[in-house]
Amino acid sequence: MTPKPPLTLHMAAPRGFCAGVDRAIRIVELALEKWGAPVYVRHEIVHNRTVVEGLRAKGAVFVEEVAEAPADRPIVFSAHGVARSVPEEARARGMIQVDATCPLVTKVHTEARRHHAQGRQVVMIGHAGHPETVGTMGQLPPGEVLLVENVADVERLSPRDPERLAFVTQTTLSVDDTAEVAAALQARFPAIVAPAHDDICYATTNRQAAVKAMAPVCDAVLVVGAPNSSNSRRLAEVALRAGCPHSQLVEHAGQIDWRALEGARALGLTAGASAPESLVEEVVEALRARWDVTVEPVVAAVEDIEFRVPAVLRERA
């Protein structure tokens, strides 16, 4: 038997599920335990097909709008957060509603509403059309949140009053990109009020830090995550910017482009915040089938944060 070539596998830590994702999944599972199937979920609870299909098999029904769910069944709002009109619609229909919005996203919503109450127009750094951006912008009346995606957007911005501005950010963006856009905002609008604390969530920051640490010594970095997952896409981008010549975003081992990895002697592996560890383990096994793998952990932080589920799920059925 021909011996397998050696491969050093740099494993990012932390990777995969964050506290907000873990909480959101637990909320759907607890709702099913409390009220039985079906429980309706507006939008994908998190951006991962494996997670969604697993919950669907347990009795969750995923819909895009509240009106698609019967009024006599519970509805869960996804971890990304929703516009204020969504729970208002559910309330008007008399539905049991359970909010699985990540508490760190809720914090951004609170910031936006506070700035509005104090007479400021809000600028949001985020990606157009992403559910989190839609939900945050939907906390305020139309026109009260201006979206910018990059520095060029900052130059085109026409606020109502340049002296009465504040900015917030989507929690899953690139740390470096966000800092660049924030700096452009502050340079153009010196009076703009910045967040008291960084809106980029701890999990996003930690996962990007681990990728930055491993990228310069890797021939390629594999990111396990969904293509519609903002934080997963950012990890693949961060790897390239940090000096790795190649990165791949894959939902599972079956999507790996093996030809692009030919001759590799050092690979990095991480997972977006909504990707289960089982998918990472599948990738590791696929690598072991082709290489003699030596695992090297790359530890950027130790996470021990937990978020409580809503009170309605802590009460007895």
Side-chain angles (χ1 to χ4, degrees):
M1 179 182 292
T2 305
K4 297 174 186 176
L7 178 77
T8 301
L9 180 60
H10 299 276
M11 294 280 287
R15 63 178 177 273
F17 282 178
C18 63
V21 165
D22 188 65
R23 171 181 180 267
I25 295 168
R26 198 161 74 251
I27 283 172
V28 178
E29 292 172 338
L30 289 172
L32 286 164
E33 287 180 19
K34 180 166 183 173
W35 292 294
V39 164
Y40 287 78
V41 183
R42 186 187 179 278
H43 193 67
E44 293 183 346
I45 187 68
V46 297
H47 284 155
N48 186 273
R49 189 177 306 174
T50 299
V51 171
V52 169
E53 291 302 324
L55 292 173
R56 184 176 281 127
K58 295 178 180 180
V61 178
F62 293 88
V63 296
E64 287 304 309
E65 300 299 338
V66 169
E68 297 174 46
D72 61 348
R73 296 305 301 165
I75 189 160
V76 179
F77 304 136
S78 81
H80 310 98
V82 295
R84 296 182 83 170
S85 59
V86 174
E88 288 171 0
E89 180 184 357
R91 194 175 304 114
R93 299 182 71 208
M95 301 177 76
I96 297 171
Q97 46 186 299
V98 187
D99 190 1
T101 302
C102 173
L104 300 179
V105 175
T106 299
K107 178 179 75 72
V108 178
H109 291 183
T110 302
E111 286 178 15
R113 291 196 296 267
R114 175 173 55 83
H115 289 307
H116 177 64
Q118 294 172 348
R120 300 185 186 96
Q121 197 172 18
V122 177
V123 179
M124 179 167 191
I125 305 173
H127 290 299
H130 188 277
E132 183 185 333
T133 299
V134 172
T136 299
M137 295 182 70
Q139 299 304 303
L140 303 183
E144 290 304 306
V145 184
L146 306 175
L147 180 65
V148 296
E149 297 191 79
N150 49 48
V151 171
D153 287 345
V154 174
E155 294 306 311
R156 291 189 288 265
L157 207 57
S158 298
R160 182 172 56 244
D161 181 353
E163 300 299 313
R164 300 290 293 167
L165 287 176
F167 74 89
V168 297
T169 74
Q170 186 180 324
T171 64
T172 55
L173 299 178
S174 159
V175 174
D176 295 333
D177 282 351
T178 304
E180 184 180 9
V181 178
L185 282 170
Q186 291 169 313
R188 185 166 177 219
F189 307 108
I192 197 167
V193 178
H197 302 286
D198 192 354
D199 284 345
I200 302 295
C201 89
Y202 76 93
T204 298
T205 301
N206 292 345
R207 281 151 188 73
Q208 290 182 18
V211 168
K212 287 179 182 179
M214 68 167 62
V217 298
C218 292
D219 299 309
V221 169
L222 301 178
V223 179
V224 180
N228 61 337
S229 165
S230 175
N231 75 85
S232 299
R233 293 201 310 272
R234 299 295 82 75
L235 289 172
E237 294 170 1
V238 165
L240 296 176
R241 293 184 183 182
C244 184
H246 178 71
S247 69
Q248 292 184 28
L249 174 61
V250 298
E251 290 190 86
H252 50 75
Q255 290 185 348
I256 296 173
D257 180 359
W258 296 108
R259 185 172 297 179
L261 303 182
E262 286 180 4
R265 291 294 175 265
L267 295 179
L269 179 58
T270 188
S274 51
E277 184 65 11
S278 60
L279 297 179
V280 175
E281 292 168 356
E282 288 179 10
V283 170
V284 173
E285 289 309 305
L287 295 173
R288 290 191 188 280
R290 291 163 174 80
W291 283 278
D292 180 12
V293 174
T294 301
V295 174
E296 293 284 348
V298 180
V299 181
V302 176
E303 295 176 352
D304 57 2
I305 294 175
E306 290 186 19
F307 295 134
R308 297 183 75 187
V309 300
V312 68
L313 293 175
R314 300 196 298 269
E315 299 164 356
R316 293 194 174 191

